[in-house]
Amino acid sequence: MTAMTDPKPAPATKDSTAKGAVSAHMSAATQADHFRQVRRARETETIEDYVELIADLIDETGEARAVEVGRRLGVSSATVNKMVARLQQLDLVTAQPYRSIFLTDEGRAVAEKSRKRHHTIVEFLLALGISEKTAWADAEGLEHHCSEETLEAFERFSKTNNVGK
Amino acid sequence: MTAMTDPKPAPATKDSTAKGAVSAHMSAATQADHFRQVRRARETETIEDYVELIADLIDETGEARAVEVGRRLGVSSATVNKMVARLQQLDLVTAQPYRSIFLTDEGRAVAEKSRKRHHTIVEFLLALGISEKTAWADAEGLEHHCSEETLEAFERFSKTNNVGK
DNA sequence: AAGAATTGTTAGCCATGGCTAATAATCTCA
DNA sequence: TGAGATTATTAGCCATGGCTAACAATTCTT
Ligand SMILES: [Mn+2]
Ligand SMILES: [Mn+2]
Ligand SMILES: [Mn+2]
Ligand SMILES: [Mn+2]
């Protein structure tokens, strides 16, 4: 028995190209680069969220306890515990058993940077006319996927369009 | 020996609140909701990227072969294979061994929605003045973290600010 | 100071989404 | 048509980031 073959696909004519299709706009290599960038960003987003939150807790309440980190992240304290171990490996925090969590200098730097970026996004969304609720919700995800160039554009826009304030 | 205690943290006075700290703006429960939303978005983003790309390949070249999906995603074909199995479970694609990949109606719907959203973001970034290169790169990550409200605002903005063209 | 409540730790589980290496099927073309 | 090139599959590995349940330490309250 001879091998089955797919119906030979009509080799898309130029004008059958789907408008909006990403692949129509760049080479496979370029597209792959973009996906790789996104995957790299994904590796750090959890870390950024934890560190930023720890800084917030320290600055607002005087200390960061694992329970509270878990509460605000919507995650169990077992999960927080494991993550704190990783953050220690990465030299972003220090912690002793049963004590609260502290930021290293490096951790503090990551936190400040994340916090600033977070703030930039929220301000931008608000300047665009997004509701408070949505702005804060969307910013939590968007913040990890903005290049410097985009962040700068967002800042410029907010500066120009700071409606009421 | 009596239990060690942390140096009792100064219970942050109202004006020691770090400006920009997220926690200053909402309850723990609300913040946790936002983080949960982001985690839910993360669950679907890979699926959306695969399905959108499969649709692009079908529409542009007539068929979606795993090799090409891998090439454009920057991922091995073993990875594509495993993911295609998951997409089948989810009823988003159909595939027979050694044949190319097809979209189900549901898969096609997901693809169209993703493609439209992707397009919305790219147009928006371009309208904002971001370079082509950055716009396409950032959109690949941002697209998975925009609410309907934000997408609509982006569309309105692009419509109003369609610079050249 | 004891008991209760809270907080932290650990073990073991799971799904996701990557990878390499080995093998198998299909396709191309000389 | 058959050999070599391409493409697909499978097995087995790994890190990440969740979870529950059991238990341990600390802190609070009386
Ligand atoms: Mn943040
Ligand atoms: Mn975030
Ligand atoms: Mn997309
Ligand atoms: Mn994407």
Side-chain angles (χ1 to χ4, degrees):
Chain A
M1 178 193 302
T2 165
M4 253 188 287
T5 54
D6 276 338
K8 202 52 180 218
T13 62
K14 201 169 237 142
D15 54 303
S16 82
T17 292
K19 68 189 170 330
V22 175
S23 311
H25 290 82
M26 69 193 89
S27 71
T30 300
Q31 194 175 3
D33 270 353
H34 296 169
F35 282 116
R36 264 185 229 105
Q37 271 180 245
V38 175
R39 287 195 296 269
R40 196 163 325 121
R42 264 178 218 156
E43 285 172 19
T44 48
E45 52 187 325
T46 310
I47 289 167
E48 292 165 350
D49 284 339
Y50 273 84
V51 170
E52 185 186 350
L53 176 53
I54 289 167
D56 284 358
L57 292 173
I58 291 173
D59 295 350
E60 280 171 43
T61 72
E63 64 175 348
R65 306 295 316 204
V67 196
E68 190 56 24
V69 172
R71 235 188 305 271
R72 302 198 85 101
L73 239 26
V75 131
S76 77
S77 54
T79 297
V80 173
N81 210 260
K82 230 192 332 182
M83 194 63 192
V84 167
R86 270 191 69 212
L87 297 176
Q88 280 185 276
Q89 295 287 317
L90 296 171
D91 265 309
L92 295 170
V93 309
T94 59
Q96 288 90 46
Y98 297 100
R99 302 269 81 102
S100 70
I101 304 154
F102 297 90
L103 291 171
T104 63
D105 287 352
E106 199 187 334
R108 172 53 71 174
V110 169
E112 294 298 354
K113 199 169 165 190
S114 300
R115 185 187 277 170
K116 180 167 185 300
R117 196 189 50 187
H118 199 128
H119 184 250
T120 296
I121 314 256
V122 171
E123 288 304 303
F124 171 72
L125 293 175
L126 293 175
L128 240 200
I130 307 292
S131 68
E132 285 269 344
K133 192 169 161 21
T134 303
W136 284 99
D138 283 12
E140 198 55 76
L142 294 175
E143 59 175 348
H144 311 282
H145 298 276
C146 286
S147 60
E148 276 307 313
E149 182 185 342
T150 296
L151 282 173
E152 278 160 29
F154 283 6
E155 269 165 19
R156 265 196 310 278
F157 182 87
S158 303
K159 203 150 294 169
T160 320
N161 298 60
N162 55 348
V163 211
K165 144 50 176 322
Chain B
M1 178 192 302
T2 163
M4 253 188 291
T5 53
D6 277 338
K8 200 54 182 218
T13 63
K14 202 171 237 140
D15 54 304
S16 81
T17 292
K19 66 188 172 328
V22 175
S23 311
H25 291 82
M26 70 192 87
S27 71
T30 300
Q31 194 175 3
D33 270 351
H34 296 171
F35 281 117
R36 264 184 230 106
Q37 272 181 244
V38 174
R39 287 196 295 269
R40 195 161 329 123
R42 264 177 219 156
E43 286 171 19
T44 47
E45 52 187 325
T46 310
I47 289 166
E48 292 164 348
D49 284 339
Y50 273 84
V51 170
E52 185 187 349
L53 175 53
I54 289 167
D56 284 0
L57 292 174
I58 290 173
D59 294 349
E60 280 172 44
T61 72
E63 66 175 347
R65 304 297 315 203
V67 189
E68 190 56 24
V69 172
R71 237 190 301 273
R72 302 199 86 100
L73 240 24
V75 130
S76 76
S77 54
T79 297
V80 173
N81 208 260
K82 226 183 350 173
M83 194 61 192
V84 167
R86 271 191 69 214
L87 296 177
Q88 280 185 277
Q89 295 286 317
L90 295 171
D91 265 310
L92 295 170
V93 309
T94 58
Q96 288 91 45
Y98 297 99
R99 301 267 82 100
S100 71
I101 305 155
F102 296 90
L103 291 171
T104 63
D105 288 353
E106 199 187 334
R108 172 55 70 175
V110 168
E112 294 297 355
K113 201 169 163 188
S114 300
R115 184 186 278 169
K116 180 166 185 301
R117 196 189 52 188
H118 199 127
H119 184 250
T120 296
I121 315 254
V122 171
E123 288 303 302
F124 172 72
L125 294 175
L126 293 176
L128 240 199
I130 308 293
S131 69
E132 285 269 345
K133 194 172 159 17
T134 303
W136 284 99
D138 283 13
E140 198 54 77
L142 294 175
E143 59 174 350
H144 311 283
H145 298 276
C146 286
S147 62
E148 276 307 313
E149 183 184 343
T150 296
L151 282 174
E152 278 160 28
F154 282 7
E155 268 164 21
R156 265 195 310 278
F157 182 87
S158 304
K159 204 151 293 172
T160 319
N161 297 61
N162 53 348
V163 209
K165 172 62 155 322

